[in-house]
Amino acid sequence: MMNNGLPASALLALAAASQSQALSAPDDNEIRYRISHYQQRDFPANRVSSGSTQAYQIDIQQLGWRQKLADNWVLTGAASYESMSGASPLQTFSNSSGQSQVIMSGASIEEQRRDFRLSSEHYFSRGLLAAGYYQSDENDYQAKAGNLRAELELNSALTTLAASYAYSRDRLNPSEPQLSVKRQQARGEIKQQSEGYISLTQVLNKYEVVQLSIGRKQISGYLDDPYRNIDSRPSQRLATISGVNYRFYMKPWSGAYHLDYRYYQDDWQVRSHTLKLSWLQDINSWLRWRIGTRYYRQQQAGFYSLDATQTSRHQTNDARLSAYGALQWSTGIDLTLAATQLSFDWQSYRSSEDWGPAGDNRETPTLIHYDLWSVAIRYRY
């Protein structure tokens, strides 16, 4: 299944295959470790009316493994630890001159997040069944989730049908509740999310693969941001997501071209388009280079507003629900030596209301700009 993009190794293997191979459990086991540093650009001092200008920085450590238990069973697990620091936006508003200003939290916030996931896969002659569990714990937020996935191969394994379902239940516990009534009211509140996807993956020939997918997502419960001064959202959000992924292996160049498109719409009137292009180039038998770009464009939620006071039942000034666009560039290399692979990656993300559709597109100083660096090692045995 080409879920979130068919792995490059699987695509490159198509070029060497004279006919399609049946779905089967991986032949080896693996353990992997990744360390990453995420750094947001600080907020502009002339746009911060009060509080700190320091944006978030996050140090991330991730450990994962895959173990084959029997001929048709595979168990995978992963765990991560994040250490975060930085100030948070409390409110964005338009001043008397029509310029947007932001109120930030005072001191830098320090938080930690721990999560782990465990899943098992059972392979059949023409498909697989998988189930997984996920749990995440932060200072002020706890999440638990489960998921199911099934895949079925048809047409001599050239066509794959897949379906998945996931459900999560999160509990809020805002820190420093004495600072606002809204934080106190949010303590113990629940947010639930369920989502289901179906997809069709088709091998067109030994060089090309295409996937079509569609899904539905429903979120309900407490959906406000308790840290914002003005934030009142509907208690339910229903979204539809559709996408197409295309992979083309160029044999003369020993490289693969990836094209991904995703369309999102929900009943909060948010509409978004995501286009991702990437190229994977084999330099030789042990070195691969990756480069990519991603464009995102979003229409604002129907209740997004920069009014300094609440003027309607539902209202938010969260930049993530504003009208904006974003560009992301990424590059990386994979160095494979026998059973060990080293990977080095860099991503740079920039966003602006000028790149989005028309709307309440006054400059939003809390739109994110970040860089992400990571180093990973994987060992197969």
Side-chain angles (χ1 to χ4, degrees), residues 228-239:
R228 291 184 173 272
N229 297 338
I230 298 177
D231 199 276
S232 178
R233 313 183 190 192
S235 60
Q236 181 169 295
R237 188 177 189 181
L238 182 62

Side-chain angles (χ1 to χ4, degrees), residues 47 94 98-100 297-300 304-306 321-325 352-365 367:
R47 309 299 297 282
S94 182
Q99 185 183 53
S100 57
R297 186 175 185 264
Q298 173 180 293
Q299 176 181 311
Q300 70 183 37
Y304 176 79
S305 172
L306 293 184
L321 292 174
S322 67
Y324 71 95
S352 170
E353 72 285 345
D354 292 333
W355 300 340
D360 189 355
N361 60 348
R362 289 169 289 178
E363 185 179 355
T364 306
L367 284 175

